[in-house]
RNA sequence: GGCGGUAUCGUCUAGGGGACUAGGACACGGCCCUCUCAAGGCUGGAACACGGGUUCGAAUCCCGUUACCGCUACCA
């Protein structure tokens, strides 16, 4: 396509956390940069001093890093470019592309209210543009406050959007917008254009809530005599109720999902499929590498999509099941250590055992954190019995006690502690006792784990080890005996 | 209100005039597997917003309507 490498950017304002919508925008820019050998730049739009915080800036860095979206070159802080923004505005003033406006915010507010009351749309009437030169000079001399307004020329402004087709705005519908506040700081559209020009951005890919800003920005590029970049407007991401995603929908920051136990690769995969499709038949579960290879602006969709947490969870389960076990261990180890079950050194010492346990558990969960409670019983000496499991599986303590005793003796008699002979002997025992395997295995599961559900029984006994398994069965026998005695 | 954008199963999407009795995925139901729970396999219900055109033929092209979303600040 284009001969020179693409220069793309993600330009969030640090006024909150990294939102999933922003993350998706960043992802698409990153994907395209990596796919085409272009650059992916990061610019922090911190010109709104009142709302910008360092904490938010950090959250953006952390969020992007967690997702694996690394940026090229130095981070640009918009606030540091104030002098250039001002100089560009001065240049527009000098070339007659912009003019000073002395109307106060209060006056404007009143006129706007009046216009709306009359049922019409408010457009600035250019009264200050009609001021005589000497009057302007007099007011400036007298120190009257003024803003700088861009004089929107007549005509139409249009562009070929990368996602949409051609979009056209009649200039008459565009107000003479302010580019410099009375305190000399730039307004968004002006700062963006000034910075995008300075950064050499060749493709502006952002949310489609910026579509109506685009004609203003194009006009600014032209007035500044700069080459136009291409524009691409991505659809929004909505909540399950079809409304723009917000706090009401629960977790909206990527950090929220990180703490919920979502894997970054799952988040990336899920987000990539919101507003983009490789087209045709395709496997939905993809690695970063595959996404980069498959990504193309041709597959960009125009319709807003709904963020479905259920599908994200499913996606996470898929990635969790495919991840190399060492990576799963790296992520779960801190969690079980934090839960107080064990220490990192202990897990390192019995790495193989730990990995075996994780293999058994990971396929049964969708979120990383869900592994933690499941793993607990394998770290404890004694079993904590789940009341529901006991109520369901230990209904007949008098009959069960002897059966578990027989089970324990059978297991204890095994020359080796291996799954196959274990299973063969226990099945034989069930048959000999005239009970279905379920009638034997289910109560035994409760005896071994305290739970009604668990990985396969023989896997459980292997992980537990011979001594602990036998001890737990014996403990269960005692509990059952107590139940019989208690009536 | 004005301007702009969008419109395929509940959700994510395939589809770019005939291959569509509209395909896949998530979710939901059933069945299989089975010591439980998952995973996996099979399977069921479920959609082209509406109305006009264009065409031999429209989910696909055009127009209108409706709905939804965004913008409409000396916010970003």
């Amino acid at each position: 396509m284009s001969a020179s490498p693409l220069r793309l950017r993600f330009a969030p304002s640090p006024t909150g956390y990294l939102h999933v919508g922003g993350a998706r925008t960043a992802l698409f820019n990153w994907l395209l940069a990596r796919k085409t050998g272009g650059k992916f730049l990061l610019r922090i739009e911190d010109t709104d001093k009142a709302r910008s915080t360092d904490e938010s800036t950090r959250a953006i860095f952390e969020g992007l890093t967690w997702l694996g979206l690394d940026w090229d070159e130095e981070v640009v802080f918009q606030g540091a470019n104030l002098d250039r923004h001002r100089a560009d505005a001065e240049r527009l003033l000098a070339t007659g592309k912009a003019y000073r406006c002395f109307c106060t915010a209060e006056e404007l507010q009143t006129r706007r209210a009046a216009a709306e009351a009359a049922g019409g749309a408010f457009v600035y009437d250019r009264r200050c543009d009609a001021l005589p030169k000497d009057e302007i000079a007099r007011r400036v001399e007298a120190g009257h406050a003024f803003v700088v307004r861009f004089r929107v020329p007549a005509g139409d402004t249009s562009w070929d959007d990368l996602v949409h087709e051609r979009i056209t705005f009649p200039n008459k519908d565009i107000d003479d917008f302010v580019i410099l506040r009375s305190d000399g700081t730039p307004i968004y559209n002006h700062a963006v254009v000034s910075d995008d020009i300075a950064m050499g951005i060749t493709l502006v890919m952002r949310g489609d809530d910026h579509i109506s800003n685009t004609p203003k920005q194009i006009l600014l590029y032209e007035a500044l005599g700069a080459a136009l970049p291409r524009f691409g407007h991505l659809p929004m991401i909505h909540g399950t109720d079809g409304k723009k995603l917000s706090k009401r929908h629960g977790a909206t920051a990527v950090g929220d999902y990180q703490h919920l136990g979502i894997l970054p690769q799952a988040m990336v995969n899920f987000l990539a499929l919101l507003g983009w499709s490789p087209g045709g038949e395709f496997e939905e579960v993809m690695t970063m590498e595959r996404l980069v290879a498959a990504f193309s602006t041709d597959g960009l969709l125009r319709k807003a999509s709904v963020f479905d947490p259920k599908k994200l969870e499913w996606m996470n389960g898929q990635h969790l099941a495919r991840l190399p076990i060492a990576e799963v261990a790296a992520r779960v180890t801190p969690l079980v250590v934090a839960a107080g079950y064990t220490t990192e050194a202990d897990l390192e010492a019995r790495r193989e055992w730990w990995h075996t346990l994780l293999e058994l558990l990971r396929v049964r969960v969708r979120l990383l954190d869900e592994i933690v409670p499941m793993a607990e019983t394998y770290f404890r000496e004694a079993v904590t019995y789940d009341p529901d499991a006991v109520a369901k599986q230990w209904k007949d303590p008098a009959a069960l006690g002897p059966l578990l005793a027989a089970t324990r003796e059978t297991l204890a008699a095994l020359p080796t502690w291996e799954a196959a002979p274990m299973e063969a002997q226990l099945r034989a025992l069930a048959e000999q006792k005239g009970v279905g395997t379920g009638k034997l295995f289910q109560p035994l599961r409760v005896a071994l784990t305290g739970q009604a559900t668990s990985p396969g029984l023989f896997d459980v006994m292997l992980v537990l080890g011979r001594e602990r398994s036998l001890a737990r069965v014996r403990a269960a026998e005692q509990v059952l005996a107590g139940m019989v005695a208690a009536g």
Side-chain angles (χ1 to χ4, degrees):
Chain A
M1 293 208 257
S2 68
S4 52
L6 250 25
R7 286 179 67 80
L8 300 131
R9 47 66 160 188
F10 174 52
S13 50
T15 54
Y17 295 98
L18 179 60
H19 189 271
V20 293
R24 204 273 316 259
T25 299
L27 172 63
F28 284 5
N29 276 284
W30 183 89
L31 247 18
L32 189 57
R34 295 296 171 259
K35 170 66 184 277
T36 63
K39 298 289 187 196
F40 172 65
L41 313 184
L42 180 59
R43 180 172 74 229
I44 302 296
E45 309 217 320
D46 55 353
T47 47
D48 185 347
K49 294 296 180 215
R51 291 196 296 161
S52 300
T53 67
D54 290 344
E55 191 191 353
S56 298
T57 302
R58 257 199 316 281
I60 289 167
F61 292 159
E62 281 167 14
L64 291 175
T65 302
W66 179 67
L67 290 170
L69 308 182
D70 55 329
W71 53 91
D72 303 307
E73 304 182 6
E74 289 296 304
V75 174
V76 172
F77 287 89
Q78 191 161 61
N81 299 327
L82 185 60
D83 290 343
R84 172 164 38 68
H85 299 151
R86 213 170 279 167
D88 281 342
E90 292 293 341
R91 192 144 58 88
L92 259 17
L93 216 40
T95 54
K97 302 278 174 50
Y99 58 93
R100 293 182 179 83
C101 172
F102 299 91
C103 299
T104 65
E106 295 70 39
E107 283 168 18
L108 259 13
Q109 191 50 47
T110 308
R111 279 190 260 157
R112 198 184 320 276
E116 275 165 22
F122 173 79
V123 268
Y124 184 65
D125 59 9
R126 291 186 166 170
R127 65 177 64 180
C128 289
D129 193 23
L131 255 25
K133 283 235 172 4
D134 54 346
E135 172 61 13
I136 294 172
R138 191 190 66 76
R139 293 193 188 185
V140 171
E141 185 69 22
H144 287 202
F146 62 85
V147 298
V148 177
R149 277 187 193 275
F150 181 76
R151 185 186 298 105
V152 176
D156 289 334
T157 300
S158 51
W159 73 95
D160 290 306
D161 198 272
L162 214 67
V163 179
H164 300 83
E165 293 175 358
R166 193 168 186 78
I167 299 179
T168 303
F169 281 79
N171 290 2
K172 67 172 172 55
D173 293 327
I174 306 171
D175 211 7
D176 275 1
F177 54 96
V178 174
I179 58 176
L180 217 56
R181 295 187 185 88
S182 49
D183 66 358
T185 58
I187 286 297
Y188 175 74
N189 284 122
H190 179 63
V192 164
V193 171
S194 181
D195 287 351
D196 281 339
I197 292 172
M199 291 165 76
I201 300 302
T202 58
L203 170 58
V204 174
M205 194 153 57
R206 76 240 288 198
D208 68 14
D209 48 342
H210 286 286
I211 286 182
S212 46
N213 282 323
T214 306
K216 297 179 182 176
Q217 296 184 6
I218 288 176
L219 256 15
L220 246 15
Y221 273 93
E222 291 172 343
L224 254 10
L228 278 178
R230 292 265 276 141
F231 290 95
H233 290 92
L234 274 9
M236 301 277 88
I237 295 178
H238 289 165
T240 327
D241 57 359
K243 298 269 195 295
K244 188 171 174 173
L245 207 56
S246 73
K247 316 294 167 295
R248 299 184 303 101
H249 298 102
T252 52
V254 308
D256 293 341
Y257 290 96
Q258 177 180 1
H259 299 306
L260 245 33
I262 293 289
L263 254 11
Q265 47 271 73
M267 191 75 204
V268 161
N269 191 170
F270 176 72
L271 249 21
L273 262 11
L274 245 36
W276 172 74
S277 165
E281 299 285 308
F282 63 95
E283 169 62 49
E284 294 199 44
V285 181
M286 292 183 267
T287 60
M288 267 287 202
E289 295 66 43
R290 277 197 55 82
L291 284 172
V292 170
F295 194 76
S296 159
T297 54
D298 295 342
L300 256 15
L301 277 353
R302 294 175 296 275
K303 194 185 69 161
S305 48
V306 173
F307 188 96
D308 180 5
K310 292 290 243 216
K311 186 152 185 177
L312 205 213
E313 285 188 17
W314 167 79
M315 184 68 83
N316 202 59
Q318 294 295 314
H319 280 274
L320 194 51
R322 297 168 202 208
L323 211 57
I325 200 65
E327 285 183 45
V328 177
R331 293 185 185 276
V332 181
T333 295
L335 301 179
V336 298
V337 170
Y341 300 162
T342 181
T343 63
E344 198 175 331
D346 169 55
L347 291 177
E348 189 49 47
R350 32 181 195 149
R351 187 184 163 86
E352 207 172 312
W353 173 86
W354 177 221
H355 285 190
T356 302
L357 176 58
L358 285 174
E359 285 288 11
L360 296 178
L361 301 183
R362 69 158 159 186
V363 74
R364 273 160 249 269
V365 353
R366 294 192 156 190
L367 301 173
L368 282 175
D369 299 53
E370 292 173 340
I371 291 182
V372 178
M374 272 188 196
E376 179 172 12
T377 194
Y378 304 96
F379 286 101
R380 302 298 188 200
E381 204 46 53
V383 177
T384 303
Y385 301 101
D386 172 54
D388 292 339
V390 170
K392 188 162 194 294
Q393 303 299 345
W394 288 2
K395 281 182 188 144
D396 187 356
L400 196 52
L403 185 59
L404 283 187
T407 300
R408 176 171 47 76
E409 282 155 19
T410 301
L411 291 171
L414 253 23
T416 60
W417 197 249
E418 291 171 275
M422 236 180 246
E423 178 165 4
Q425 290 304 307
L426 255 32
R427 283 184 188 282
L429 176 66
E431 191 170 346
Q432 177 200 326
K433 296 287 183 184
V435 298
T437 50
K439 284 279 185 246
L440 172 59
F441 292 174
Q442 285 298 78
L444 178 57
R445 183 188 317 283
V446 177
L448 290 167
T449 67
Q451 304 293 317
T453 66
S454 81
L457 260 194
F458 310 104
D459 287 328
V460 166
M461 286 194 273
L462 253 29
V463 167
L464 245 23
R466 180 189 167 97
E467 299 317 315
R468 207 156 33 142
S469 297
L470 295 177
R472 285 186 176 190
V473 177
R474 188 186 296 280
E477 288 169 44
Q478 284 164 4
V479 171
L480 287 163
M483 288 167 72
V484 172

